[in-house]
Amino acid sequence: MADLERAELPIGVYQIVGPGCCNRCTTYDSVSDQVICGCWDDKKGNHLDSFIARIESIYGSNGKNPNSVYYTEYMAAVNFFKAMKELKENHDRQRNKGD
């Protein structure tokens, strides 16, 4: 996995730095729906839904290491990523209507 912290990113790629126990950079590519976070690799494309399931399984109330602070931090990042993807999709739809 590449270290994308402080990288110049293309449109549609977003980063959050600091969530979780290691304060790492979490990157989301909204174009390919791929999350890059530390050494996590689900071997299935690292899609956002898979990342959410991973956060639930570790930091959620029934997870391996329940932690409401880390869970809340990651879920805030997920909500940001979802909102940015939706904004980009809406913008693309509006732009395509004008064509």
Side-chain angles (χ1 to χ4, degrees):
M1 295 263 168
D3 179 4
L4 298 176
E5 190 169 342
R6 295 185 187 91
E8 194 168 313
L9 303 173
I11 293 173
V13 178
Y14 305 96
Q15 290 184 323
I16 301 281
V17 178
C21 63
C22 297
N23 293 318
R24 291 185 183 155
C25 178
T26 302
T27 303
Y28 178 59
D29 177 349
S30 67
V31 176
S32 63
D33 186 38
Q34 181 182 28
V35 176
I36 302 164
C37 184
C39 60
W40 176 67
D41 185 358
D42 71 354
K43 309 283 192 236
K44 298 176 187 173
N46 290 4
H47 298 289
L48 190 57
D49 286 341
S50 219
F51 183 69
I52 293 167
R54 168 91 171 150
I55 298 307
E56 290 282 350
S57 74
I58 299 205
Y59 299 123
S61 57
N62 295 318
K64 294 177 192 172
N65 298 311
N67 185 305
S68 63
V69 172
Y70 298 157
Y71 178 81
T72 301
E73 289 173 352
Y74 277 118
M75 292 313 289
V78 164
N79 289 331
F80 170 73
F81 295 150
K82 285 180 176 180
M84 293 301 99
K85 182 175 183 173
E86 185 177 329
L87 282 172
K88 183 175 181 333
E89 288 171 350
N90 288 340
H91 176 17
D92 290 348
R93 273 194 293 274
Q94 289 297 323
R95 186 176 47 182
N96 290 336
K97 279 185 181 179
D99 292 344

